[in-house]
Amino acid sequence: MSSNLSIKKICECCKNEFIAKTIKTRYCSHNCNRKHYKLVKKKGEIEIVEKATKLNITSIEEVNKKDFLTVSETALILNMSKRTVYRLIQSKELNSYNFSTRKTLIRRKDIDYYFELNMNTSNLNQEQIKENITPDNAYNLNEIVEKYNISSSALYNIINRLNIQKKSFGKHVLVKKEDIDKIFIS
């Protein structure tokens, strides 16, 4: 099926005049068609990126004005994932209020309080606990392994999982006797 049409058209890419064989032809050659397609695709991608960038900038400014934040907004401010924010809420480290299954709000004051609490208490408490660990009231790791017949890797896992404080003392690592005894005796 060949066409007997001869229509003068202007190429959308190179703007040269050509003779088209069909009504729908828009380009003078396949090369012009490819070039224009790539140009249109590139412009579309640039618009999408610009649009996304503008949304993030305005949303941060809007979020900073609010006293009550959603989980998404909190994650944006804290530069965390939503899942991490939900984990903080679930562990009661961050106060929130659930209006429904899909609407959880967090006060900005609670976010500030979370940081103040963690910055002030965590460093002081850990340092005080480490100061209380002495060779008289603590086991070294080898003693624990021998006394309770446990592998050293299992002991390390237990200490890390339960956040038990340990202290380096020379070439030994010390752990309070009462902490270890609570775990293995009970």
Side-chain angles (χ1 to χ4, degrees):
M1 295 181 78
S2 64
S3 174
N4 293 335
L5 293 174
S6 295
I7 304 169
K8 285 186 177 180
K9 286 193 163 191
I10 296 177
C11 179
E12 291 183 16
C13 180
C14 64
K15 307 297 183 201
N16 291 334
E17 190 173 298
F18 70 100
I19 296 177
K21 300 281 184 185
T22 65
I23 299 172
K24 294 182 178 184
T25 304
R26 298 167 48 193
Y27 307 100
C28 63
S29 66
H30 183 65
N31 285 338
C32 281
N33 186 353
R34 279 189 302 178
K35 287 177 187 176
H36 194 256
Y37 175 79
K38 287 181 181 179
L39 182 69
V40 168
K41 270 296 212 193
K42 191 174 187 179
K43 285 181 182 177
E45 289 172 359
I46 290 171
E47 287 176 9
I48 290 171
V49 170
E50 287 176 349
K51 187 176 182 181
T53 309
K54 287 179 184 176
L55 285 176
N56 285 341
I57 292 170
T58 56
S59 65
I60 290 173
E61 292 170 357
E62 290 174 8
V63 167
N64 285 333
K65 296 176 185 176
K66 293 183 178 181
D67 287 334
F68 295 95
L69 306 170
T70 63
V71 173
S72 300
E73 293 167 342
T74 304
L76 181 69
I77 285 178
L78 298 177
N79 197 18
M80 297 178 173
S81 68
K82 285 191 221 177
R83 186 69 212 132
T84 304
V85 174
Y86 279 118
R87 211 174 295 121
L88 290 173
I89 292 169
Q90 187 177 18
S91 65
K92 305 283 186 210
E93 292 182 42
L94 190 60
N95 291 332
S96 67
Y97 185 77
N98 292 339
F99 288 100
S100 67
T101 56
R102 295 185 182 253
K103 189 67 169 184
T104 302
L105 291 181
I106 302 161
R107 289 188 313 179
R108 182 173 289 280
K109 290 179 184 179
D110 291 331
I111 295 171
D112 296 337
Y113 179 71
Y114 170 73
F115 280 108
E116 289 173 10
L117 181 66
N118 282 334
M119 295 298 284
N120 295 334
T121 59
S122 64
N123 293 338
L124 293 176
N125 289 340
Q126 289 179 0
E127 292 302 320
Q128 289 172 353
I129 291 171
K130 284 185 179 181
E131 287 176 9
N132 292 337
I133 299 174
T134 63
D136 298 331
N137 69 353
Y139 294 123
N140 69 37
L141 297 182
N142 291 334
E143 291 174 346
I144 300 169
V145 168
E146 290 174 8
K147 182 175 182 178
Y148 292 107
N149 196 20
I150 185 173
S151 70
S152 58
S153 62
L155 178 62
Y156 285 116
N157 287 338
I158 290 170
I159 289 172
N160 289 333
R161 185 170 24 102
L162 298 176
N163 293 324
I164 297 173
Q165 289 297 317
K166 52 190 183 259
K167 178 182 179 181
S168 295
F169 186 76
K171 64 179 184 176
H172 298 288
V173 176
L174 301 177
V175 181
K176 273 189 140 184
K177 287 181 180 180
E178 61 188 50
D179 293 339
I180 295 298
D181 291 337
K182 283 180 191 175
I183 297 168
F184 291 108
I185 291 176
S186 56

Coordinates of all heavy atoms in Angstrom, one line a residue, residues 18 30 127 165:
F18 N 10.2 19.5 3.8 CA 10.4 18.2 3.1 C 9.0 17.8 2.6 O 8.0 18.4 2.9 CB 10.9 17.2 4.1 CG 9.9 16.8 5.2 CD1 9.2 15.6 5.1 CD2 9.7 17.6 6.3 CE1 8.3 15.3 6.1 CE2 8.8 17.3 7.3 CZ 8.1 16.1 7.2
H30 N 14.5 9.7 9.9 CA 14.5 9.0 11.1 C 15.4 9.6 12.1 O 15.1 9.6 13.4 CB 14.9 7.5 10.8 CG 14.8 6.6 12.0 ND1 13.7 6.3 12.6 CD2 15.8 6.0 12.7 CE1 13.9 5.5 13.7 NE2 15.2 5.3 13.7
E127 N 28.7 7.1 81.6 CA 30.0 7.4 82.2 C 29.9 7.0 83.7 O 30.9 6.4 84.3 CB 30.3 8.9 82.1 CG 30.7 9.3 80.7 CD 31.8 8.5 80.1 OE1 32.8 8.2 80.8 OE2 31.7 8.1 78.9
Q165 N 26.6 -2.6 80.2 CA 27.8 -1.8 80.1 C 29.1 -2.6 80.4 O 29.1 -3.5 81.3 CB 27.7 -0.6 81.2 CG 26.7 0.4 80.8 CD 27.1 1.1 79.5 OE1 28.2 1.5 79.3 NE2 26.1 1.4 78.7

